[in-house]
Amino acid sequence: MLNSGVWMAKFLKVILIIIISLILIVGGGLFAVYKMFPAEKIKEILIKELSEKTGRQVNIENLRVNILKGIEIKGFTIKESSRYKTGYFIKDEKVVLKYNLLALLKGELFIYQILLDEPYIQIIKETKDRYNFSDILDKLNEKQVKGQKVTEKKENKKVEKTEPAGFIKNIIITSIGVKKGNFIYVDYSKKEKMHLKIQDFDFDMQNILLTSIKPISIKSSCTVLYNDYKIPVNLNANVSLDLKNKKINLKIVSFALAGIITNG
């Protein structure tokens, strides 16, 4: 109905690039930058880099950095493209990332908490193949093509390099959370406009270990507004991931949809 396999894959690519950019800019070069510049300067670098990558107006109201414990970003926004007079593509009241830097010495990426406080995301399907984030993909693809040309030139020189061994041996995330999220999907590509909104989205996922099989606790609740329908949703589940054998086991503790409750 929403062609979710198409637009979701494209959208997740945009989100993944934004997240990776944040991690690389803040995490990768954080120590050197932290010694040279105050938090305000780091904020300016983040805004500049993300604006260039997305081609959109990016803003961060406040950035707090603790090199050993984590970062906190307040008032993170990415505006809609110039085709729209007003509005935001992504807006987040607060982003919190808490980690254990010393765990990297043992080859572990230990993240205590990833929290999105009051995130807002709007997806607009404008035509059959275009969305309100398609211009970001176009810009990223342009840079990717340029990068491939540079890589090809280097390969033509026949320079051989030894690939370094993977540094991160294990990833541990104790908590991923979303509070009071609002997500909007609007489809203008058809005669009858379709409007879907997920409001007051709360999500909590705990105890994620990517190198071992361990039950992951998931709790989520929200209200889905689909055209004229209002549907409350509540989920409590446990998930076991076996990445080595590419298996997933989902156990629904309870699931409530529009007042209908299912267990098992």
Side-chain angles (χ1 to χ4, degrees), residues 147-161:
Q148 286 175 349
K149 288 180 180 179
V150 172
T151 303
E152 287 172 2
K153 287 181 181 178
K154 289 181 179 179
E155 288 177 350
N156 290 335
K157 292 179 181 179
K158 296 181 180 181
V159 178
E160 294 184 2
K161 291 184 178 181

Side-chain angles (χ1 to χ4, degrees), residues 86-102:
T86 58
Y88 295 97
F89 170 51
I90 294 175
K91 185 178 181 181
D92 208 317
E93 184 66 26
K94 184 167 67 175
V95 180
V96 178
L97 173 62
K98 294 182 179 180
Y99 53 79
N100 184 339
L101 188 65
L102 297 178

Side-chain angles (χ1 to χ4, degrees), residues 26 31 38 79 82 88 138 178 184 201 239 257 264:
V26 178
F31 186 75
K79 285 259 187 144
S82 56
Y88 295 97
D138 294 340
V178 178
I184 297 172
F201 178 75
V239 179
L257 177 67

Side-chain angles (χ1 to χ4, degrees), residues 128-193:
K128 183 181 177 181
D129 300 313
R130 297 292 295 181
Y131 298 82
N132 63 327
F133 56 83
S134 294
D135 59 309
I136 298 178
L137 286 175
D138 294 340
K139 193 169 185 65
L140 292 171
N141 288 334
E142 283 178 12
K143 291 188 176 182
Q144 188 175 1
V145 170
K146 290 179 182 178
Q148 286 175 349
K149 288 180 180 179
V150 172
T151 303
E152 287 172 2
K153 287 181 181 178
K154 289 181 179 179
E155 288 177 350
N156 290 335
K157 292 179 181 179
K158 296 181 180 181
V159 178
E160 294 184 2
K161 291 184 178 181
T162 305
E163 290 290 330
F167 174 61
I168 303 298
K169 299 175 183 177
N170 189 20
I171 298 177
I172 303 168
I173 305 174
T174 57
S175 176
I176 297 178
V178 178
K179 289 184 178 180
K180 296 182 180 179
N182 285 280
F183 308 102
I184 297 172
Y185 177 87
V186 185
D187 189 349
Y188 288 108
S189 65
K190 298 175 183 176
K191 264 189 177 182
E192 292 185 8
K193 174 184 136 181

